[in-house]
C-alpha cells in the first residue's frame, strides 16, 4: 500500500481522504510522512504535539498500519459494521 492507495481506500471504511495529512502535519489529523532518514512516521497531530508516533521502515508498513488503525476505530465506534 502507498499513500495514494491509502487515500483512495479510506472511502471503503467510511472516511473522507481529508482524514489524514500526507507528507506533512495538519492540526487534529492523522499524519503519515517520510522522515529525514528515509523512514516513515505515523502519528496524530494535536496542539503541536505528535501523539502515538511510530516510525517504520517503509511506506507500505506505514500506510497499512494507519489504515488498520482507522478501520479498527470505525468498527469499535460502530460506524463500520462488518457483515456476519
Amino acid at each position: 500500500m502507498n499513500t495514494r492507495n491509502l487515500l483512495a481506500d479510506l472511502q471503503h471504511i467510511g472516511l473522507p481522504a481529508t482524514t489524514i495529512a500526507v507528507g506533512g502535519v495538519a492540526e487534529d489529523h492523522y499524519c503519515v510522512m517520510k522522515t529525514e532518514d528515509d523512514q516513515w512516521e505515523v502519528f496524530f497531530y494535536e496542539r503541536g504535539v505528535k501523539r502515538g508516533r511510530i516510525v517504520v521502515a517503509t511506506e507500505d508498513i506505514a500506510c497499512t498500519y494507519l489504515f488498520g488503525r482507522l478501520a479498527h476505530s470505525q468498527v469499535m465506534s460502530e460506524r463500520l459494521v462488518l457483515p456476519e
Side-chain angles (χ1 to χ4, degrees), residues 10 13 16-17 19 34 36 39 54 57 65-66 71 75 82 84:
L10 289 176
I13 58 172
T19 302
K34 197 170 195 175
E36 290 179 8
Q39 294 189 7
I54 65 154
Y65 168 82
L66 183 54
V75 170
L82 300 175
E84 294 183 25

Side-chain angles (χ1 to χ4, degrees), residues 29-48:
H29 281 72
Y30 283 97
C31 306
V32 58
M33 58 192 290
K34 197 170 195 175
T35 65
E36 290 179 8
D37 59 352
D38 288 330
Q39 294 189 7
W40 287 80
E41 63 181 335
V42 177
F43 54 88
F44 186 80
Y45 193 73
E46 178 182 40
R47 297 184 190 138

